[in-house]
Amino acid sequence: MLLSVSLMLLMGMFLGWLCKKLKLPSLLGMMLTGIILGPYVLNLIDVSILNISADLRKIALIIILTRAGLTLDLNDLKKVGRPAVLMCFVPAAFEIIGMIILAPKLFDVSILEAAVIGAVVGAVSPAVIVPKMIKLIEEGYGINKGIPQLVLAGASVDDVFVIVLFTVITGLAQGERISVLSFVNIPVSICLGIALGFLSGFLLSKFFAKVHIRDTVKVIIILSISFVLVTIEDNITGVITFSALVSVMCIGLAMQKYRKEVSFRLSLKFNKLWVCAEILLFVLVGATVDLHYVTDAALSAILLIFGVLCFRLLGVFLCLLRTKLSLKERLFCMIAYMPKATVQAAIGGVPLAMGLACGNIVLTIAVMAILITAPLGAFLIELTYKKLLKYDGMGVRLRETS
């Protein structure tokens, strides 16, 4: 196990650095590390790590969402308003509709099976998008109009909407009866997640104000509470639940609101944690990729992915109508909403495990979506943000403070 961890970290860092030198996103090198070391190529990752891969990926996601919450300013989010709410579900809904239209034409699947594929592919990746948007906030690009805040908030809630839809649609595919409550659960789980997260963050901020402890201990406390919230969500079997990942981000938001100086120091701590967590996350995502599935239906899958991306981009564009954003800024938001990785890696194999006839096709398209959109989206964000967004001069102040 220790050898596997060392190989993952060292090779992940090296290939990530190599990709940066080639002007490619570092996450591509990390994903390639996972593919090479994973069970489908060299098989050098210990089985014990693969067995807890989903939990390790979730820990990395918790770290980056907490970091996002600590970085976001509620006042900036209020400025964004309506588009932020629409970005939580409209682009994903458009992509699922696009999948229902296009998938039966390219693959031998029914409309319901196409909806299952759409529910897997429709989510964006906070693990790719959140670090990029935090970088923009720190460097001061687009922050006066709340552009990185808009994308960051929408991407974090988008996953909740898609995962709940995935549960509903796969239930229908298995012949289960779906009640109205299943759809009501989407806004309810998001609202409950926000409320629980803000309550936790508020109580923590009051506790930290009265009890003087090291920032490292505060980080451990916040992570532990986040782990508890995620565990509670996983163990709730009722129709109505809450979104623990939204709660995790809202803990950081509440800390930002009530203990701003502390939240800034904690965000620096989480930045350091992310250095290791990022490598593990994308290496383990790469380890889920089975290249045999990729080669079987590569061309049709590529056409389908780019086809449904057009529907997603249209959805983003519609969300931004009647806003003060320029055409360049809207184009950036469309680019930033492309990457997929974590949700597809987490649920791409579920339909196959359920015994659904479309299971192999779902897994193939999920894998291709990761390989195409994660590096492409990250690369385009890096390439375009200085050209498409206005520099608002906040980055210097943040760097001086740190």
Side-chain angles (χ1 to χ4, degrees):
M1 180 177 177
L2 293 177
L3 177 62
S4 296
V5 172
S6 64
L7 285 172
M8 289 163 64
L9 292 175
L10 291 173
M11 191 171 170
M13 284 190 292
F14 173 71
L15 289 184
W17 169 83
L18 189 61
C19 284
K20 269 191 173 181
K21 286 292 182 182
L22 297 171
K23 305 297 182 184
L24 296 169
S26 59
L27 68 89
L28 179 58
M30 297 170 195
M31 287 176 63
L32 285 173
T33 299
I35 293 171
I36 294 166
L37 297 179
Y40 304 107
V41 182
L42 296 181
N43 196 25
L44 293 177
I45 299 179
D46 194 273
V47 176
S48 59
I49 296 176
L50 294 175
N51 288 339
I52 60 169
S53 174
D55 291 322
L56 291 174
R57 294 199 304 269
K58 192 166 283 188
I59 289 171
L61 198 56
I62 286 169
I63 289 171
I64 194 58
L65 286 174
T66 306
R67 181 186 170 203
L70 290 167
T71 306
L72 273 173
D73 191 321
L74 274 176
N75 293 324
D76 291 333
L77 280 178
K78 287 176 184 175
K79 290 178 189 175
V80 177
R82 174 186 59 85
V85 176
L86 294 176
M87 292 277 276
C88 295
F89 65 92
V90 172
F94 267 64
E95 189 164 2
I96 293 170
I97 291 168
M99 190 68 75
I100 291 171
I101 294 170
L102 298 178
K105 300 183 188 310
L106 292 168
F107 293 91
D108 186 20
V109 294
S110 65
I111 290 176
L112 183 57
E113 288 171 333
V116 172
I117 302 170
V120 171
V121 177
V124 294
S125 174
V128 179
I129 293 173
V130 171
K132 298 295 181 187
M133 296 305 109
I134 290 175
K135 179 183 176 183
L136 265 61
I137 293 170
E138 291 174 345
E139 292 187 7
Y141 281 90
I143 56 175
N144 281 354
K145 290 187 179 179
I147 293 167
Q149 299 92 320
L150 163 68
V151 175
L152 199 158
S156 302
V157 181
D158 170 280
D159 285 4
V160 180
F161 171 71
V162 172
I163 289 170
V164 174
L165 270 186
F166 173 77
T167 305
V168 172
I169 294 169
T170 50
L172 284 173
Q174 287 184 305
E176 296 177 8
R177 293 184 64 185
I178 304 299
S179 66
V180 175
L181 282 176
S182 300
F183 293 96
V184 172
N185 185 39
I186 296 173
V188 170
S189 64
I190 292 170
C191 292
L192 286 176
I194 291 171
L196 191 55
F198 264 96
L199 177 62
S200 302
F202 172 76
L203 294 175
L204 281 173
S205 65
K206 295 300 180 185
F207 175 73
F208 292 154
K210 291 183 179 180
V211 181
H212 297 285
I213 52 179
R214 294 176 59 186
D215 288 340
T216 303
V217 178
K218 292 173 185 172
V219 168
I220 294 171
I221 292 171
I222 291 172
L223 283 177
S224 299
I225 291 172
S226 299
F227 295 162
V228 169
L229 290 171
V230 170
T231 304
I232 292 171
E233 183 198 15
D234 289 342
N235 286 282
I236 291 177
T237 55
V239 177
I240 301 299
T241 181
F242 73 99
S243 171
L245 293 180
V246 172
S247 295
V248 167
M249 191 175 74
C250 288
I251 289 174
L253 276 169
M255 291 291 298
Q256 164 76 224
K257 179 176 175 62
Y258 297 110
R259 296 283 291 168
K260 196 156 191 169
E261 290 183 7
V262 173
S263 71
F264 180 79
R265 297 200 308 270
L266 292 180
S267 70
L268 296 178
K269 294 283 185 182
F270 275 95
N271 287 351
K272 295 174 183 177
L273 276 178
W274 177 241
V275 172
C276 179
E278 179 185 32
I279 299 168
L280 289 176
L281 173 62
F282 289 110
V283 169
L284 291 171
V285 167
T288 65
V289 174
D290 187 344
L291 295 177
H292 293 98
Y293 289 125
V294 173
T295 54
D296 284 345
L299 182 59
S300 297
I302 291 170
L303 289 172
L304 182 60
I305 289 163
F306 279 107
V308 297
L309 270 180
C310 293
F311 280 83
R312 168 172 282 275
L313 298 182
L314 175 61
V316 175
F317 183 79
L318 292 177
C319 291
L320 301 176
L321 289 177
R322 299 178 68 184
T323 64
K324 295 180 180 179
L325 301 188
S326 67
L327 190 58
K328 283 185 177 181
E329 290 165 338
R330 295 181 193 191
L331 177 60
F332 175 80
C333 292
M334 292 162 71
I335 291 170
Y337 234 56
M338 285 174 53
K340 303 167 186 300
T342 40
V343 173
Q344 289 71 31
I347 65 176
V350 172
L352 184 62
M354 288 178 169
L356 298 181
C358 61
N360 276 327
I361 296 172
V362 174
L363 186 56
T364 301
I365 296 170
V367 168
M368 291 296 293
I370 294 169
L371 291 176
I372 293 170
T373 64
L376 179 62
F379 174 72
L380 290 176
I381 290 170
E382 286 288 336
L383 183 68
T384 62
Y385 79 93
K386 290 184 179 179
K387 299 173 184 176
L388 300 179
L389 300 182
K390 183 182 176 184
Y391 174 65
D392 295 318
M394 294 295 292
V396 175
R397 185 181 66 82
L398 285 171
R399 283 195 291 271
E400 286 174 351
T401 308
S402 63

